[in-house]
Each structure stands twice: as structure tokens, then as C-alpha cells.
């Protein structure tokens, strides 16, 4: 049985159909002071799959309550699917006095969980923070599939650290790959050092794990259009699209913007349900 958190209703339905499971009738409401209330309106089988993001903050509490309600209702094996793991940026103390939020959240999530699945976490070190099994499948195959008939010549990562993602996508698309030189000055300010790439008259795909403010992607597209790329597609696993992100990206000359449904938006043209289903079926406890 799948228990859909309010961040992931459409994805839960897709997953239910992939796995041929029922969707649990669940009531999720808020009190006038915004405290969350959840109630399961049916008995639960011994194994349940809860699907809920840990972003934004209010979804975290809802996740804990759903896990607790499932346990209280007698679930023996709780699989927690976190399509987008919020709070993954802080995986260590960059400065004395900081909290390690990715680890703290992991400790809280695993209290009522037996297996956790999350897609393309910002920091793969997440693995080290869980004492229960954690699966981290990638959305790259479904993203690459979306672009298979777009004649992509080259896949680019917006920075060197993300090169592996570009390479993995390029292998599936049978195209070249490279990276751009990005420097982050602050949370919402990035610069890209000019780097000459062989993109003139080519179809380019820029792929990132997250699009947040859109600054990184817009800058990348701007650079590539300046270098006379024909089409510049933008793709990400997790489309947060904060503020004017989409406007910035489109204004930079983006041909098409797509994300997956880890965060549901009008740009969720690709579903990660088959990826989650495959991870589940290949996991042997
Ligand atoms: C950075 O390491 C990430 O991979 C993304 O490039 C970044 O989070 C995107 O942020 P923004 O859209 O705000 O530039």
C-alpha cells in the first residue's frame, strides 16, 4: 500500500500503478495554527510505502506523522520514499558551530523507517548518515530517454563537480559531454568563467541535479547561446524553481526546460516512478 504525502500525490499515483499497489485513504489537514494532522482511514498491510519530500520544512513534520501513523496502525516494514531530500547541502561543518542538517534529518527519518529511497541526493555522502538501508537511484535514464529523439550533440554540466552526471547522460544519448566553469559567490550569485566549447550550430543539453534560483542554468544558457549553439535544452532532477527562476532561464534563450516529478511542477515532463519501482524490485533485504 502506498501512503501519499501531500508533496507527492501525482508521483504516488504513478508509483501505485507501476507497482500495482493500492493508494491508502489518508486525511492530511492543518489546524488553524498550521500544525499538521494526519489520519489513515483504512487498515494497513504489514508493508507500506510512504512518499513525501523533506522540502519545504512543513513537509518534514507531515512525513514524521505519516510514518508514525503507519507504525501505530501496525505496519511492520515502512519504506520511506523521499523523492527530493531537502537539507542535503549541509553534509559537514563548513564552519565551527554549524549543524549537520543532512545527518540530523537522516537520524529522524530512520526512527520510523526500515528502508529509505531518495533520488539524486545533492551529496551522495548521505549514505553514511543512515543506519538502515538507503537506495539512491538516479533519474538520469528517464531524463535521457526524454531527449532521445532531440538529436543532442553535447551534454554539459554547469560545473566540474557535476561532470559525471553529464557523462552518464551523454553515454545514453550517444553524444559528447563537457562542463562549464562555475563559481558561486553567494546563495543566489554565480559567475561563469568564459570557456570556449565546441557548441556552434549544435544541440546542447545542460543537466543539473537541482535548479533552485535558476541563476546557474540561466548563465550557462546565456553563454552557450553567445557561442551560437542552435538549441539549448535545460534539465534537472529536482526543479525547485524559486522566484523568477523559470523566467530567467527562458529569457536566457532556453529551448525547453524539463524536470522530473520529484518536485511536481508544470515542468515535470518526466516521472521517476519507474526508477523507484525498479530500485524497489532490485532491492533484496
Ligand atoms: C550546485 O551545486 C547544484 O548542482 C546546482 O547547480 C545549484 O543548486 C543550482 O542553484 P541555482 O539554480 O540557485 O543557481
Amino acid at each position: 500500500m502506498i501512503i501519499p504525502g501531500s508533496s507527492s500525490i501525482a508521483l504516488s499515483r504513478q508509483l501505485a500503478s507501476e507497482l500495482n499497489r493500492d493508494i491508502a485513504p489518508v486525511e492530511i489537514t492543518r489546524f488553524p495554527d498550521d500544525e499538521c494532522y494526519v489520519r489513515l482511514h483504512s487498515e494497513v498491510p504489514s508493508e507500506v510505502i510512504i512518499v513525501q519530500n523533506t522540502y519545504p520544512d512543513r513537509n518534514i513534520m507531515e512525513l514524521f506523522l505519516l510514518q508514525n501513523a503507519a507504525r501505530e496502525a501496525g505496519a511492520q516494514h515502512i519504506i520511506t520514499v523521499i523523492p527530493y531530500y531537502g537539507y542535503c547541502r549541509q553534509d559537514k561543518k563548513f564552519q565551527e558551530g554549524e549543524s549537520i542538517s543532512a545527518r540530523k534529518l537522516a537520524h529522524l527519518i530512520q526512527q520510523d523507517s526500515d528502508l529509505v529511497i531518495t533520488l539524486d541526493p545533492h551529496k551522495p555522502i548521505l549514505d553514511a548518515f543512515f543506519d538502515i538501508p538507503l537506495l539512491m537511484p538516479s533519474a538520469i535514464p528517464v531524463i535521457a530517454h526524454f531527449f532521445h529523439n532531440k538529436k543532442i550533440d553535447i551534454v554539459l554540466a554547469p560545473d566540474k563537480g557535476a561532470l559525471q552526471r553529464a557523462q552518464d547522460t551523454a553515454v545514453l544519448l550517444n553524444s559528447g559531454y563537457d562542463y562549464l566553469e562555475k563559481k558561486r559567490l553567494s546563495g543566489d550569485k554565480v559567475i561563469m568563467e568564459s570557456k570556449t566549447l565546441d557548441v556552434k550550430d549544435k544541440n546542447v543539453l545542460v543537466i543539473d541535479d537541482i535548479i533552485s534560483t535558476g541563476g546557474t542554468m540561466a548563465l550557462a544558457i546565456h553563454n552557450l547561446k553567445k557561442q551560437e549553439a542552435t538549441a539549448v535544452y535545460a534539465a534537472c532532477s529536482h526543479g525547485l524553481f524559486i522566484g523568477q527562476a523559470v523566467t530567467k532561464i527562458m529569457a536566457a534563450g532556453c529551448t525547453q526546460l524539463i524536470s522530473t516529478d520529484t518536485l511536481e511542477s508544470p515542468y515535470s515532463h518526466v516521472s521517476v516512478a519507474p526508477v523507484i519501482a525498479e530500485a524497489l524490485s532490485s532491492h533484496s533485504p
Side-chain angles (χ1 to χ4, degrees):
M1 183 175 263
I2 295 187
I3 302 179
S6 54
S7 72
S8 306
I9 307 279
L11 176 56
S12 295
R13 283 202 197 104
Q14 294 258 21
L15 190 59
S17 115
E18 287 281 337
L19 296 170
N20 199 17
R21 306 265 183 115
D22 291 328
I23 290 271
V26 58
E27 181 184 347
I28 303 171
T29 53
R30 296 264 161 188
F31 290 104
D33 59 4
D34 209 36
E35 282 185 6
C36 186
Y37 170 86
V38 311
R39 182 176 172 207
L40 293 167
H41 280 285
S42 74
E43 291 185 353
V44 297
S46 73
E47 179 180 280
V48 296
I49 301 172
I50 299 172
V51 188
Q52 172 75 338
N53 287 326
T54 55
Y55 169 88
D57 284 7
R58 66 202 314 263
N59 284 334
I60 299 174
M61 193 61 198
E62 184 187 308
L63 171 62
F64 294 155
L65 297 187
L66 289 172
Q67 289 177 314
N68 181 246
R71 275 279 193 250
E72 291 288 336
Q76 300 291 311
H77 191 76
I78 298 181
I79 299 169
T80 304
V81 175
I82 305 173
Y84 171 63
Y85 192 105
Y87 282 98
C88 208
R89 287 188 175 90
Q90 190 92 25
D91 61 335
K92 61 180 177 194
K93 285 185 197 168
F94 297 94
Q95 299 179 79
E96 214 32 61
E98 289 178 344
S99 149
I100 303 173
S101 55
R103 186 176 67 188
K104 180 64 202 167
L105 191 55
H107 290 171
L108 293 168
I109 291 164
Q110 70 184 14
Q111 279 181 9
D112 268 322
S113 196
D114 302 282
L115 168 67
V116 173
I117 301 179
T118 191
L119 287 108
D120 294 330
H122 191 55
K123 302 274 175 76
I125 196 188
L126 200 55
D127 210 12
F129 300 155
F130 281 91
D131 303 317
I132 59 169
L134 169 73
L135 307 179
M136 300 185 289
S138 172
I140 285 176
V142 281
I143 293 176
H145 181 72
F146 179 87
F147 287 100
H148 82 281
N149 60 0
K150 306 250 187 232
K151 297 190 169 61
I152 300 294
D153 297 299
I154 181 162
V155 182
L156 292 178
D159 57 50
K160 201 173 178 182
L163 184 61
Q164 188 63 49
R165 183 173 298 108
Q167 183 179 349
D168 293 347
T169 313
V171 166
L172 295 170
L173 289 173
N174 204 14
S175 63
Y177 62 92
D178 208 330
Y179 64 93
L180 293 146
E181 301 273 9
K182 168 177 129 180
K183 225 185 237 164
R184 183 168 286 284
L185 303 179
S186 68
D188 62 354
K189 261 215 162 72
V190 286
I191 52 166
M192 250 164 214
E193 275 143 32
S194 61
K195 175 172 174 185
T196 310
L197 292 157
D198 184 18
V199 294
K200 189 170 182 312
D201 300 328
K202 296 207 165 148
N203 294 330
V204 185
L205 167 62
V206 186
I207 188 160
D208 210 344
D209 61 337
I210 299 173
I211 296 178
S212 179
T213 66
T216 302
M217 197 52 91
L219 217 53
I221 294 167
H222 179 76
N223 279 355
L224 296 164
K225 290 305 281 185
K226 232 168 64 187
Q227 295 187 50
E228 298 178 61
T230 309
V232 184
Y233 296 94
C236 66
S237 302
H238 311 297
L240 277 79
F241 304 132
I242 307 294
Q244 297 301 303
V246 171
T247 311
K248 274 192 262 181
I249 291 168
M250 298 318 289
C254 182
T255 307
Q256 188 178 15
L257 167 65
I258 72 131
S259 75
T260 76
D261 54 358
T262 59
L263 291 155
E264 292 166 10
S265 80
Y267 303 92
S268 300
H269 293 306
V270 165
S271 179
V272 292
V275 179
I276 298 168
E278 161 72 23
L280 268 169
S281 67
S282 54
H283 173 71
S284 45

